[in-house]
Amino acid sequence: QRRAFIEQIRLAKRKRLPLVIHTREAWDETFQILEEEGGRSHAAEVGGVFHCFTGDGAVAEKAVQFGFYLSFSGIMTFPKAIPLQQAAAAVDLSRLLIETDAPYLAPQGYRGKRNEPAYVRAVAEKIAQIRNTPFEKIAETTSANAERLFKLS
């Protein structure tokens, strides 16, 4: 996995594309490799996202300092996901994205069903609730963030 991750970083750098990283329970190793391979400067210059982010507030802060966006999935809606919800509440809105991670990780209320893009609203609603921010603001900002990161506009 380390070799593949290093190659992914190098490919993103060669192609000048955002890094898309999915990591679980390997935060120290992930940040170390990013630092060693120039992923930190690449994310700051070109962009990057921690897809299906599952870290706590300290990890979120470090990821943002490295220049990454954080993308939150249906896990955000799970009752026991308190550290993740705290991270989403603390991260600057300009660094926040939402996703479904379909077909997996359906939000609370859809558990046991195949996840689908329409359920992303539940993630946005939960983030709006925990941030005490209007849903429309979360939807607009996260859409603009995605457009900026992936150069969609």
Side-chain angles (χ1 to χ4, degrees), residues 72-105:
F72 294 91
S73 69
I75 296 171
M76 169 64 51
T77 67
F78 298 178
K80 294 183 180 177
I82 304 301
L84 183 63
Q85 293 168 5
Q86 291 169 338
V91 72
D92 191 282
L93 191 53
S94 69
R95 288 285 155 189
L96 197 136
L97 297 170
I98 55 175
E99 64 177 278
T100 59
D101 199 34
Y104 309 108
L105 301 172

Side-chain angles (χ1 to χ4, degrees), residues 11-29:
L11 178 63
K13 287 169 61 178
R14 276 195 312 274
K15 299 293 185 179
R16 302 217 23 92
L17 293 170
L19 276 165
V20 178
I21 299 172
H22 183 108
T23 190
R24 291 260 172 104
E25 300 178 22
W27 297 109
D28 291 339
E29 296 90 344

Side-chain angles (χ1 to χ4, degrees), residues 6-149:
I6 290 168
E7 285 306 312
Q8 175 192 355
I9 295 167
R10 291 176 180 173
L11 178 63
K13 287 169 61 178
R14 276 195 312 274
K15 299 293 185 179
R16 302 217 23 92
L17 293 170
L19 276 165
V20 178
I21 299 172
H22 183 108
T23 190
R24 291 260 172 104
E25 300 178 22
W27 297 109
D28 291 339
E29 296 90 344
T30 299
F31 288 121
Q32 178 185 352
I33 292 169
L34 283 168
E35 195 73 67
E36 291 169 357
E37 293 297 322
R40 180 180 191 153
S41 60
H42 180 77
E45 184 181 333
V46 178
V49 59
F50 277 96
H51 146 73
C52 196
F53 182 77
T54 56
D56 62 17
V59 172
E61 183 178 329
K62 188 167 188 176
V64 169
Q65 288 173 351
F66 267 57
F68 283 86
Y69 289 82
L70 305 178
S71 187
F72 294 91
S73 69
I75 296 171
M76 169 64 51
T77 67
F78 298 178
K80 294 183 180 177
I82 304 301
L84 183 63
Q85 293 168 5
Q86 291 169 338
V91 72
D92 191 282
L93 191 53
S94 69
R95 288 285 155 189
L96 197 136
L97 297 170
I98 55 175
E99 64 177 278
T100 59
D101 199 34
Y104 309 108
L105 301 172
Q108 198 67 25
Y110 300 99
R111 300 295 304 272
K113 295 182 181 180
R114 186 178 193 280
N115 201 357
E116 59 183 67
Y119 299 162
V120 76
R121 181 181 180 98
V123 178
E125 288 171 344
K126 183 64 175 184
I127 291 173
Q129 175 195 358
I130 64 173
R131 291 180 69 99
N132 195 28
T133 302
F135 166 79
E136 294 77 12
K137 176 76 172 167
I138 298 298
E140 290 169 11
T141 304
T142 56
S143 293
N145 291 347
E147 289 174 9
R148 185 171 48 258
L149 173 62

